[in-house]
Amino acid sequence: MAEKKGPVVKVSKELMDMLNQAIAREIQVAIQYMWQHVMWGGVKGFAVKDELQSIAVEEMKHAESIAERLYYLGGTPTTKPDPIFVGSTLKEMIEQDVKDEEVAIRLYQKIVAKAKAENDETTNHLFRDILEQEEDHHDTFTTLLEDLD
Ligand SMILES: [Fe+2]
Ligand SMILES: [Fe+2]
């Protein structure tokens, strides 16, 4: 039987490591936001709990898409999340979420540029799409935070 051929696109180990960093933080925030959705409190919590759930689901979809891409490129997607911080008050939760979205935006800007430099158009395209959604999440969380002061 013929050996399975590798991907047409070859990328650096450095880019593959960045994709794994992205997966680790997507799994982190997927769990973090879902648990915040479960543990919300107070009247203001009632208003944001559904938003937390829907963003958590989007993050899990990001983890899946990035894992698919990394696996295709010949890497092994990590199963380990970055450290999860749920928080005990709603303000603490949303403050953390704003920070985590900032981390995502900075990392994904780097991945977009790196993938472009390595002529990996698909990874470039994937991360431009995801980046747009992370900017939306960041916007949502900063808006929610204004109401919590
Ligand atoms: Fe995400
Ligand atoms: Fe996000």
Side-chain angles (χ1 to χ4, degrees):
M1 235 169 62
E3 224 176 278
K4 185 178 180 287
K5 288 205 175 73
V8 178
V9 181
K10 292 257 192 304
V11 301
S12 66
K13 163 112 180 20
E14 206 183 338
L15 180 54
M16 288 207 271
D17 287 347
M18 289 165 92
L19 297 191
N20 250 336
Q21 283 171 31
I23 294 167
R25 65 152 308 283
E26 291 292 349
I27 309 171
Q28 173 216 335
V29 293
I31 300 168
Q32 184 171 302
Y33 301 163
M34 195 59 86
W35 266 214
Q36 289 172 340
H37 159 73
V38 169
M39 293 164 77
W40 65 278
V43 173
K44 283 176 175 167
F46 188 79
V48 304
K49 70 185 177 74
D50 290 345
E51 193 61 34
L52 284 165
Q53 184 196 41
S54 92
I55 297 178
V57 170
E58 282 181 26
E59 307 295 20
M60 189 50 88
K61 287 180 184 163
H62 293 168
E64 193 264 341
S65 313
I66 303 165
E68 290 273 12
R69 184 62 189 158
L70 179 59
Y71 189 66
Y72 173 77
L73 291 168
T76 306
T78 185
T79 57
K80 288 198 189 75
D82 276 347
I84 295 161
F85 180 90
V86 175
S88 49
T89 65
L90 194 59
K91 188 162 191 277
E92 219 173 74
M93 290 178 183
I94 306 300
E95 273 173 353
Q96 180 65 36
D97 300 348
V98 168
K99 283 184 206 150
D100 282 315
E101 293 298 329
E102 284 166 2
V103 170
I105 290 167
R106 280 194 294 267
L107 176 62
Y108 297 175
Q109 283 170 336
K110 281 186 202 151
I111 293 175
V112 165
K114 182 87 175 139
K116 185 86 187 160
E118 297 191 16
N119 295 315
D120 179 355
E121 295 297 339
T122 306
T123 301
N124 174 272
H125 186 263
L126 173 66
F127 275 86
R128 276 190 300 165
D129 278 354
I130 297 178
L131 183 55
E132 205 180 314
Q133 291 175 38
E134 307 301 6
E135 285 176 355
D136 271 353
H137 299 165
H138 183 258
D139 186 42
T140 302
F141 288 137
T142 51
T143 306
L144 290 174
L145 196 58
E146 280 172 19
D147 247 23
L148 293 174
D149 286 322

